[in-house]
Amino acid sequence: EKGFIDSIQFAINGNQAVLEKDEKNIDITRLLLKNPLFPGEKIIISSPFRVRIPRTFSRFGHIKQSYQITQWYPKPAVYDSKGWHPMPYLDQGEFYSDFGSFDVTITLPDNYIVGTTGSLQNEKEMRWLDSLSAVTKEIVSNTKATNKDVVAERSSKKAKAENVVPSSKRLKTLNYKADNVHDFAWFADKEYLVMKSKVSLSNHDVITWAMFKEKSSSLWKNAIHFVDSSIHFYSKWVGDYPYPQATAVEGALKAGDGMEYPMITVVSDGFQGVKSLETVIAHEIGHNWFYGILGFNERNYAWMDEGINSFYENRYVEARYPHHGLLPANSVAGKLFDLTQYPRSFQNYLLYDFQANRHEDQPMNIGAAEFTTFNYAAIVYAKTAEVWRYLEAYLGRDYYDELMHNFFNQWKYKHPDPKDLRSFFEQETTKELGWLFDEIIPTNRHLDYKLKKIGGTKVIGSDTYQKLTIVNKGDIKGPYTVDGIKHNKITKEIWYEGFDGQKEVLFPKGNYDAFRIDAAMNIPEVNRRNNTLRVSGMFRHIEKLRFQWLGSLDNPKRTQLFFTPTIGSNNYDKLWLGFAFYNSPLSNKPLSFLFMPAYGTGSYKLIGVGEVNLQLFLPGDFIHRINLSSSIKSFSYADASTFGSEGEANFRFIKFTQQIKLNFKQPNARSTVQENLIFRNIFLRQDFAYLITPDLITNNFHRAINQLTYSLENRKRINPFGLSISIEGGSSQEGSFYLKTYVEAKYRITYSGKKSGVDLRLFTGTMLSDNSNLRYSNFHLGPTTGAKDYRFDEIYLGRMESTGWLSQQISISDDGGFKMRTDGMIPELGYSDTWIVAINSKAAFPYFLPVFVFADAGILPAMDIYSTLQFDAGIGIKLIPDIVEVYFPLIFSHDIRTNLNRTDIYNTWYKRISFTFDIGKLNPFELIRNFTF
Ligand SMILES: [Zn+2]
């Protein structure tokens, strides 16, 4: 059900207009005037148009008989001091339209309830809405009443089977008028409950409406108060709401939780939680002041609308729920994770800080369409809200409010841009705001002050001052505070103007335990760990250690060490129990570590993993990020039975890895391409044994592997692909040596409108040199079973098992990637010490079933009795996509089929099943480092 608009026939003063199509956008057209139009002159442009309403997507459409009629008529572009601003419709990126007066007439079946931009002109309809609001009051106060009681006429006709209220045969024509608005939206539904109220402002009353479905009545029963208090608070803080009415409706929105239009706000149905509903209503109604009345150009300066509005949204929530911080003060999660100390605005800081610390943040002042989806939230909304809180703290709330009132009154209906905002603030305050308008807003530079030294004292007149040395480690010269702290409370706070480099400042002498920069956390600093110095003590810049279970936010007032008990199991260590210790579960710290020692209850051995990762970001256009890491991993991987004995012995491996990963910079932030160059050096020590009956002689084996991989991944939504090229060499203690190279290419043909599709993979590899007769490093068409994973990269539940279900675990992330195992076939099938080429395909079932079909084919030099072409195919089930998948191979090439029947371990259908259990992909630290959106 796609929509369209047609039958447009523009006329200028009644004569057909000459049009010029826009080359890039089908929804933009230019009207060419015969004569220039001079200031003060006027022309009349008219056009019929016909719209077919689509099933709702983005902001416009209908879901069954609930209508969201927005962006529905041809709209003139704004002409301002910078010229024309034509703009196509975008899902990410809002509007810039000119102010005008609307006189809209809507004819529709009699029993529709309509909410619009504009004031209703029909008295009879107004009386009907009043009667509905009286009944709604009864319904929401008495949960037993039903919608049927609302309009007797309508319920009598209600077709119960269809569960749809039939449209009345009678039509009604409604008229709405609105002045000084730049858009007109309307919403119609036959099942709305209606609530009506009134807010009195200094010189006029505002009628308020809330319209919602009966099924949402417990959620919406106080919504009318939310509308009222939004109008009240924003009027108080920014300037009086100038319009005669304000409405909030529930609708089938597909672009976020809510959407603003002049005088009317739509909130998505299926919303959870009364407090979030109130927040969304306040936010969307709040847009009236910025997008609506000031008329900011949101497409170019989205921050001016969404960001400044989010600042007020935060204020609104704090005003309504003063004791409610980031989490409610008495919430279990808040106590458990040490989160009760943060204010509600901290959620904005966290989003910004997460992106800033990964150097993935973008400047505030770029076009809406240039932001990544994540940055649209983290920068446009969150960073701006925090920056505005910073400005408010710097100017002081009362003074800031006074300025904002004056700005609003001077600029309403005039489309001010950032320059107008800046010159207004600079004129009114005589403060230099270059740090804000030249540094914070147009760049992605960061704020970071450091308190370096507590010096001596200085006496000026009768006052004594403490000398403090401050260093600006960031690249913004913003103002900052220094706070004197006594018993963890701010006892004195002073604002200082910003500077570059290092500076000594004077702070009134007093009885303090510590000095701290920005103790009130008003400044969006990217590093708050260097803000404090204690007056006395041994480690004056190190905060007290706090042990914290599982994880929490980065608390600059504590040195945090996180821990969690761990449990796992494999076939050799059996059940293992341990503890994980780490420093950085949710953020991207320059240095992060994880140590997870554990004890194997079957092997009686200390096992586990450890990793230290150093992360650096580089300036310039070439390399974005470097990760240097060092890790150790040791588990038992075999037992006596692996080597043919019945004893009790267990055999472990220890793997040391040193890795350098370069992540290359992409041309723009919205690029879906990731390019990495990874070099790793692996050193492996592997215990093993051989049986000289009856004794098991144990020994160990050392190997080193060096691997260099270039990888490119394009994660675009339609047909994503990836490519990796590797060269790898290895040597072992007895002098064997190999060198090989391999290429893997992946391509997904996505089904239209879906994430899933047909996955194709091509793998080819060739041995460049090989003097080893150990064969471990050679290529294989078959999947990588535990025994074949010579780099110990994967996690196997029973690495060396050759029978039983544990032996059926495979990995398909390297080599031929067949799903049918070929281990144990004699001679070994699919093995090559020269080259292989393999192609894999997997087609997802296009509907909801987690089922797919797969087919693999490969060629390799003909060997012994085997031919050069091999293949398998079958069906599979995704239990956890890409992590746990089960394969049922059904069709085989002749050589594989022949072998299956004569090899004991494959001679029954269920022994041929294989599965992946790629739990390594769930590493939360890697996921956070590589998070893109
Ligand atoms: Zn918004």
Side-chain angles (χ1 to χ4, degrees):
E1 272 199 62
K2 288 179 183 167
F4 58 74
I5 181 165
D6 68 3
S7 313
I8 295 176
Q9 283 279 324
F10 283 111
I12 298 174
N13 294 331
N15 304 315
Q16 195 178 336
V18 182
L19 301 183
E20 192 181 273
K21 277 187 185 163
D22 187 85
E23 279 163 18
K24 280 195 203 134
N25 304 291
I26 57 162
D27 52 349
I28 294 176
T29 192
R30 221 166 272 115
L31 272 66
L32 305 178
L33 302 188
K34 277 199 189 106
N35 305 304
L37 181 69
F38 290 104
E41 293 181 357
K42 75 170 185 184
I43 53 171
I44 294 170
I45 299 170
S46 58
S47 175
F49 62 93
R50 184 176 71 142
V51 174
R52 175 165 165 158
I53 303 166
R55 218 180 111 85
T56 296
F57 69 96
S58 198
R59 300 175 179 93
F60 169 57
H62 74 100
I63 298 290
K64 292 186 184 153
Q65 295 184 18
S66 176
Y67 292 88
Q68 288 79 51
I69 311 299
T70 66
Q71 282 81 40
W72 55 287
Y73 59 90
K75 200 173 188 183
V78 179
Y79 184 79
D80 66 12
S81 60
K82 295 184 193 69
W84 286 103
H85 295 273
M87 51 186 68
Y89 180 86
L90 296 180
D91 191 60
Q92 179 182 307
E94 294 186 349
F95 309 102
Y96 186 38
S97 337
D98 229 335
F99 292 99
S101 295
F102 287 75
D103 185 339
V104 178
T105 299
I106 302 168
T107 300
L108 74 178
D110 194 39
N111 57 345
Y112 269 95
I113 296 152
V114 183
T116 76
T117 298
S119 299
L120 178 64
Q121 304 293 312
N122 310 67
E123 258 179 57
K124 187 180 161 218
E125 182 75 3
M126 189 60 101
R127 281 199 300 275
W128 188 55
L129 291 178
D130 284 342
S131 75
L132 291 182
S133 106
V135 187
T136 299
K137 238 179 227 167
E138 279 169 32
I139 291 177
V140 298
S141 58
N142 169 16
T143 48
K144 276 181 186 161
T146 71
N147 205 8
K148 282 180 199 158
D149 306 326
V150 180
V151 190
E153 171 206 27
R154 159 172 117 182
S155 60
S156 66
K157 288 184 195 164
K158 187 167 179 173
K160 277 178 190 157
E162 285 176 39
N163 202 20
V164 173
V165 180
S167 291
S168 164
K169 294 257 160 29
R170 254 189 337 217
L171 297 178
K172 64 183 172 187
T173 295
L174 305 175
N175 178 227
Y176 295 90
K177 285 185 176 156
D179 291 320
N180 278 327
V181 291
H182 58 61
D183 203 351
F184 192 100
W186 56 281
F187 303 84
D189 197 304
K190 287 172 286 193
E191 295 178 73
Y192 276 151
L193 300 186
V194 176
M195 292 186 112
K196 186 183 184 186
S197 177
K198 188 176 79 175
V199 181
S200 294
L201 299 177
S202 54
N203 53 17
H204 73 121
D205 286 350
V206 181
I207 297 172
T208 51
W209 301 96
M211 299 176 176
F212 51 94
K213 298 288 190 88
E214 190 185 0
K215 67 175 169 51
S216 310
S217 53
S218 64
L219 188 63
W220 277 71
K221 66 181 178 202
N222 290 315
I224 192 72
H225 302 305
F226 306 157
V227 178
D228 290 354
S229 48
S230 306
I231 297 288
H232 166 78
F233 279 113
Y234 275 81
S235 291
K236 184 173 146 195
W237 291 329
V238 189
D240 271 0
Y241 183 77
Y243 303 124
Q245 69 94 6
T247 306
V249 301
E250 184 182 30
L253 182 73
K254 299 284 175 194
D257 292 336
M259 182 62 207
E260 67 278 12
Y261 291 94
M263 299 191 224
I264 190 156
T265 280
V266 54
V267 177
S268 143
D269 55 0
F271 211 80
Q272 304 288 324
V274 174
K275 208 174 141 244
S276 358
L277 176 71
E278 176 168 8
T279 308
V280 173
I281 287 178
H283 176 99
E284 306 308 341
I285 286 182
H287 276 296
N288 273 289
W289 279 261
F290 309 104
Y291 139 96
I293 299 160
L294 287 164
F296 292 141
N297 179 345
E298 296 181 89
R299 190 62 65 85
N300 288 1
Y301 317 114
W303 65 270
M304 293 182 85
D305 176 54
E306 293 295 0
I308 295 179
N309 186 37
S310 294
F311 161 79
Y312 284 102
E313 170 204 312
N314 190 66
R315 240 204 208 185
Y316 177 93
V317 178
E318 286 181 349
R320 290 269 298 150
Y321 304 93
H323 303 297
H324 196 148
L326 187 65
L327 288 176
N330 51 4
S331 76
V332 176
K335 282 188 181 141
L336 198 56
F337 296 110
D338 188 29
L339 297 176
T340 50
Q341 57 187 306
Y342 301 104
R344 196 242 181 206
S345 61
F346 207 67
Q347 60 178 330
N348 290 325
Y349 174 74
L350 285 174
L351 269 180
Y352 163 63
D353 189 56
F354 179 72
Q355 287 300 79
N357 273 310
R358 290 155 22 102
H359 292 242
E360 299 278 350
D361 54 330
Q362 293 173 276
M364 280 157 64
N365 207 29
I366 58 175
E370 293 171 56
F371 286 99
T372 64
T373 310
F374 191 72
N375 276 342
Y376 199 69
I379 304 299
V380 173
Y381 289 69
K383 181 184 174 184
T384 309
E386 280 299 271
V387 166
W388 233 246
R389 222 165 52 77
Y390 178 21
L391 177 68
E392 179 200 39
Y394 172 61
L395 295 172
R397 176 172 283 199
D398 292 344
Y399 186 39
Y400 165 84
D401 279 351
E402 186 190 322
L403 290 171
M404 208 55 196
H405 262 277
N406 294 343
F407 177 76
F408 179 78
N409 286 325
Q410 184 174 324
W411 281 96
K412 57 185 170 192
Y413 316 123
K414 286 183 189 153
H415 305 302
D417 69 8
K419 263 206 304 248
D420 301 318
L421 188 65
R422 176 185 190 158
S423 45
F424 182 87
F425 269 74
E426 287 191 335
Q427 267 167 29
E428 296 276 313
T429 64
T430 69
K431 293 220 189 238
E432 205 276 315
L433 296 174
W435 56 272
L436 175 63
F437 287 97
D438 294 332
E439 300 186 84
I440 295 185
I441 291 173
T443 76
N444 57 351
R445 290 190 232 152
H446 298 156
L447 277 151
D448 180 16
Y449 284 106
K450 175 183 177 174
L451 180 52
K452 191 180 170 191
K453 204 176 111 191
I454 302 174
T457 53
K458 183 171 181 172
V459 180
I460 303 176
S462 58
D463 300 323
T464 312
Y465 292 91
Q466 183 79 55
K467 289 183 196 167
L468 300 171
T469 306
I470 313 274
V471 183
N472 187 349
K473 310 258 304 175
D475 35 24
I476 289 176
K477 299 180 290 297
Y480 62 96
T481 68
V482 176
D483 300 76
I485 309 288
K486 184 75 191 171
H487 300 312
N488 276 321
K489 292 227 159 58
I490 300 171
T491 55
K492 181 102 192 146
E493 176 171 274
I494 309 262
W495 278 95
Y496 298 90
E497 296 301 319
F499 64 90
D500 254 338
Q502 182 168 320
K503 197 176 172 184
E504 196 175 78
V505 301
L506 298 177
F507 192 86
K509 183 109 177 103
N511 179 17
Y512 311 121
D513 300 334
F515 295 99
R516 178 173 287 151
I517 293 171
D518 185 35
M521 301 210 283
N522 287 319
I523 306 178
E525 272 205 302
V526 292
N527 180 10
R528 287 171 169 162
R529 300 221 142 253
N530 53 10
N531 286 10
T532 308
L533 276 181
R534 279 199 293 282
V535 173
S536 60
M538 278 277 281
F539 299 98
R540 296 198 294 157
H541 62 280
I542 295 177
E543 301 286 357
K544 274 185 215 154
L545 186 69
R546 185 189 158 99
F547 276 99
Q548 170 69 55
W549 173 65
L550 200 57
S552 184
L553 305 174
D554 188 26
N555 179 353
K557 297 174 190 165
R558 284 280 185 273
T559 298
Q560 292 156 298
L561 182 63
F562 303 98
F563 68 92
T564 184
T566 54
I567 183 166
S569 144
N570 68 51
N571 195 44
Y572 315 106
D573 293 308
K574 303 298 176 192
L575 181 74
W576 55 256
L577 300 164
F579 266 93
F581 299 94
Y582 41 97
N583 71 331
S584 174
L586 295 172
S587 64
N588 270 271
K589 290 206 177 145
L591 185 74
S592 58
F593 61 81
L594 160 72
F595 292 102
M596 194 197 75
Y599 181 73
T601 61
S603 59
Y604 313 113
K605 278 180 179 149
L606 183 66
I607 54 172
V609 295
E611 184 186 295
V612 177
N613 190 299
L614 180 67
Q615 176 159 263
L616 306 164
F617 292 92
L618 265 57
D621 293 332
F622 185 50
I623 291 168
H624 172 58
R625 187 181 79 197
I626 299 179
N627 284 89
L628 300 167
S629 64
S630 203
S631 65
I632 179 172
K633 172 163 108 176
S634 183
F635 287 92
S636 299
Y637 80 99
D639 58 19
S641 71
T642 311
F643 304 103
S645 165
E646 282 165 8
E648 283 282 293
N650 267 287
F651 301 88
R652 74 154 77 209
F653 73 89
I654 303 179
K655 177 183 178 182
F656 298 92
T657 308
Q658 318 299 323
Q659 178 173 299
I660 303 174
K661 178 174 172 184
L662 308 181
N663 174 250
F664 295 100
K665 217 157 247 176
Q666 295 309 321
N668 66 71
R670 280 184 66 85
S671 167
T672 50
V673 176
Q674 285 282 328
E675 274 177 287
N676 292 303
L677 186 68
I678 301 174
F679 172 77
R680 46 178 196 151
N681 168 270
I682 299 167
F683 177 80
L684 270 164
R685 182 184 182 276
Q686 196 179 329
D687 293 344
F688 73 102
Y690 44 92
L691 190 64
I692 299 180
T693 317
D695 295 321
L696 202 53
I697 313 296
T698 58
N699 207 330
N700 59 60
F701 176 66
H702 297 204
R703 256 176 304 149
I705 298 168
N706 290 304
Q707 185 192 43
L708 181 69
T709 300
Y710 163 81
S711 72
L712 179 150
E713 202 181 341
N714 190 335
R715 301 185 197 177
K716 61 195 172 123
R717 205 171 275 230
I718 299 169
N719 303 346
F721 62 85
L723 173 75
S724 77
I725 303 166
S726 302
I727 182 158
E728 178 187 316
S731 56
S732 64
Q733 87 213 81
E734 80 286 354
S736 75
F737 170 83
Y738 73 89
L739 187 66
K740 66 182 190 178
T741 181
Y742 42 95
V743 175
E744 182 191 51
K746 288 179 172 179
Y747 192 86
R748 170 173 290 174
I749 303 161
T750 42
Y751 300 140
S752 138
K754 294 207 161 54
K755 266 190 172 173
S756 62
V758 178
D759 287 308
L760 300 173
R761 174 180 178 270
L762 177 76
F763 178 90
T764 177
T766 179
M767 298 301 296
L768 299 172
S769 160
D770 182 15
N771 78 345
S772 120
N773 47 16
L774 299 173
R775 295 178 29 149
Y776 63 84
S777 58
N778 294 146
F779 293 110
H780 45 89
L781 282 184
T784 302
T785 53
K788 282 208 170 77
D789 178 31
Y790 64 96
R791 292 182 297 244
F792 286 78
D793 280 345
E794 311 292 334
I795 296 167
Y796 290 89
L797 300 170
R799 184 174 283 270
M800 299 304 282
E801 296 308 289
S802 52
T803 59
W805 72 276
L806 291 177
S807 73
Q808 290 168 255
Q809 184 187 346
I810 61 165
S811 161
I812 49 168
S813 58
D814 62 1
D815 281 36
F818 276 39
K819 311 303 177 293
M820 184 60 233
R821 287 161 297 135
T822 51
D823 298 38
M825 295 180 179
I826 299 169
E828 190 177 341
L829 196 155
Y831 149 83
S832 167
D833 58 4
T834 50
W835 57 268
I836 64 166
V837 177
I839 183 159
N840 314 100
S841 62
K842 193 165 115 179
F845 191 68
Y847 301 98
F848 54 89
L849 280 180
V851 175
F852 55 85
V853 295
F854 65 84
D856 310 299
I859 53 172
L860 70 180
M863 189 186 127
D864 299 326
I865 52 170
Y866 300 136
S867 58
T868 194
L869 173 73
Q870 305 293 341
F871 56 84
D872 73 357
I875 57 170
I877 301 171
K878 293 177 231 186
L879 297 179
I880 306 170
D882 293 333
I883 293 168
V884 183
E885 300 190 342
V886 183
Y887 308 98
F888 301 88
L890 301 170
I891 298 166
F892 312 98
S893 56
H894 173 265
D895 291 337
I896 295 178
R897 197 174 55 236
T898 316
N899 263 287
L900 291 180
N901 296 329
R902 65 174 191 223
T903 311
D904 278 355
I905 53 175
Y906 302 122
N907 62 6
T908 320
W909 69 270
Y910 63 83
K911 296 178 181 173
R912 298 169 188 169
I913 296 170
S914 57
F915 69 94
T916 57
F917 184 69
D918 199 352
I919 202 156
K921 276 204 179 119
L922 292 177
N923 178 347
F925 301 93
E926 263 308 291
L927 290 176
I928 285 174
R929 274 200 283 274
N930 296 324
F931 174 79
T932 54
F933 189 48

